[in-house]
Amino acid sequence: MSKTIAFIGLGIMGLPMAKNLVSAGFTVRGFNRTPAKAEALAEAGGQAAATIAEAVDGADVIITMVPDSPDVENVLLGDEGILASAAAGATWIDFSTIRPDVATDLAEQAKEKGLKPLDAPVSGGEPGAIDGVLSIMVGGEKSDFDAVSEVFDAVGKTIVLVGPSGAGQTVKAANQLIVAGNIGLLAEAVVFLEAYGVETTSALQVLGGGLAGSKVLDQKGQKMLDRSFDPGFRLQLHHKDMGIVTAAAREAGVAIPLGSTVAQLVASTVQQGNGGLDHSGLFTVVEQLSGKDRG
Ligand code: NAP
């Protein structure tokens, strides 16, 4: 594999994804705002870059994986950002989850500098990132998408070009709506089952085999039973994503009443100081609503 990849943002998702790119044979130069995480990539066979410019210099593919729209804007457009250093012709893949309208705007600015932009948010969580089996919803030009298929294959399993720039982020917003709704209802079901003294491990086992079964139930059910909410996907990030989907739905004239309710529950959990918990920690607020959190 001859491609050199710059990877910016080595957090919960970015670091294991970058490691998988190293394992696939790419030369990976990682930059992280907090340098220790780039050292972790170097220990896994990648290279630690001290600046974005150093990571991006001569790279064929530039990847960003940072939290929110303003972070991607900073990393791309800042004085020492990607557009200041990238070579024309490089592909820019943004794996971050951000606002679709911002993704579309940034793609235009990247194109003006000769880059090939792809918005490519992911789903599958930290386990999917570690195992290289993420679902990746991509917006951009088909020729640009096809040219970097080996990069996507190294980090994902279900990889679909869903439309032009911004479309990947629109699909991801729908993904976050579905996931939050599932988590909210799973939390309500667990509180309900516990109120009846049902043996909850058995209950979740049988629910998982029927129409109520889901990846959310498989991955988050036990965390709720154990009250074990280490992230994973932080509620603060899901709060950001509920803001994205509620604003985008309003802009499109689409009503999402269930989504709006879950968005308020997520907001409440964050305001109570629990934004650092895994999103399964939405359970804490659902439990409070019934006064069941007092032991
Ligand atoms: P994370 O663990 O918080 O990592 C974010 C990384 O971005 C950190 O390395 C952080 O650097 C860096 N960063 C933050 N702000 C920055 C800025 N302004 N400039 C430069 N670097 C910055 O987040 P994550 O869980 O990996 O999530 C990353 C993205 O993936 C988010 O958009 C999230 O919604 C999405 N996502 C996450 C999951 C999941 O399960 N975690 C699943 C699917 C999608 P520092 O180390 O210095 O803080």
Side-chain angles (χ1 to χ4, degrees):
M1 215 74 63
S2 59
K3 283 191 173 72
T4 297
I5 299 177
F7 203 119
I8 297 158
L10 300 166
I12 287 178
M13 298 295 284
L15 182 60
M17 292 170 77
K19 285 182 178 175
N20 283 332
L21 290 165
V22 171
S23 301
F26 294 105
T27 301
V28 184
R29 278 191 235 129
F31 168 80
N32 197 69
R33 193 177 56 178
T34 307
K37 294 180 191 166
E39 291 306 325
L41 177 66
E43 282 163 21
Q47 299 169 13
T51 61
I52 291 176
E54 188 184 322
V56 162
D57 184 35
D60 306 294
V61 176
I62 299 159
I63 289 173
T64 43
M65 189 48 154
V66 294
D68 202 352
S69 305
D71 305 312
V72 179
E73 286 171 334
N74 278 338
V75 166
L76 187 76
L77 308 175
D79 289 343
E80 297 174 4
I82 293 168
L83 293 190
S85 325
T91 303
W92 168 46
I93 303 173
D94 184 26
F95 284 128
S96 323
T97 303
I98 65 170
R99 283 170 32 196
D101 58 327
V102 173
T104 308
D105 177 48
L106 294 180
E108 277 310 311
Q109 298 194 55
K111 274 189 206 164
E112 282 166 17
K113 291 276 183 175
L115 298 193
K116 300 169 182 171
L118 296 167
D119 52 293
V122 307
S123 179
E126 186 184 19
I130 292 170
D131 296 339
V133 296
L134 294 165
S135 278
I136 312 179
M137 34 226 111
V138 188
E141 300 281 343
K142 184 170 185 330
S143 55
D144 298 341
F145 172 72
D146 290 341
V148 292
S149 59
E150 291 164 333
V151 174
F152 285 126
D153 288 342
V155 295
K157 189 168 96 177
T158 306
I159 304 143
V160 183
L161 182 71
V162 293
S165 291
Q169 296 295 352
T170 303
V171 175
K172 175 68 184 183
N175 184 85
Q176 295 307 82
L177 174 64
I178 295 168
V179 172
N182 266 276
I183 289 175
L185 284 174
L186 178 62
E188 290 183 10
V190 169
V191 172
F192 169 78
L193 290 166
E194 288 180 349
Y196 274 91
V198 172
E199 209 287 293
T200 42
T201 301
S202 309
L204 291 192
Q205 185 189 352
V206 70
L207 289 172
L211 193 54
S214 68
K215 289 186 179 161
V216 165
L217 191 151
D218 293 345
Q219 292 183 21
K220 306 298 180 184
Q222 193 63 43
K223 287 171 88 72
M224 293 183 191
L225 300 189
D226 295 344
R227 307 324 194 235
S228 161
F229 302 121
D230 289 344
F233 185 66
R234 290 181 290 117
L235 270 158
Q236 184 69 53
L237 290 175
H238 216 139
H239 180 48
K240 168 212 34 145
D241 294 344
M242 295 314 286
I244 290 172
V245 69
T246 48
R250 182 185 165 98
E251 184 71 24
V254 170
I256 51 166
L258 298 180
S260 298
T261 302
V262 180
Q264 291 295 310
L265 294 173
V266 171
S268 170
T269 320
V270 170
Q271 290 310 318
Q272 292 187 30
N274 285 329
L277 299 184
D278 185 70
H279 52 168
S280 52
L282 181 62
F283 180 85
T284 59
V285 151
V286 172
E287 196 179 35
Q288 274 174 26
L289 291 175
S290 300
K292 302 292 186 192
D293 59 319
R294 296 191 287 268

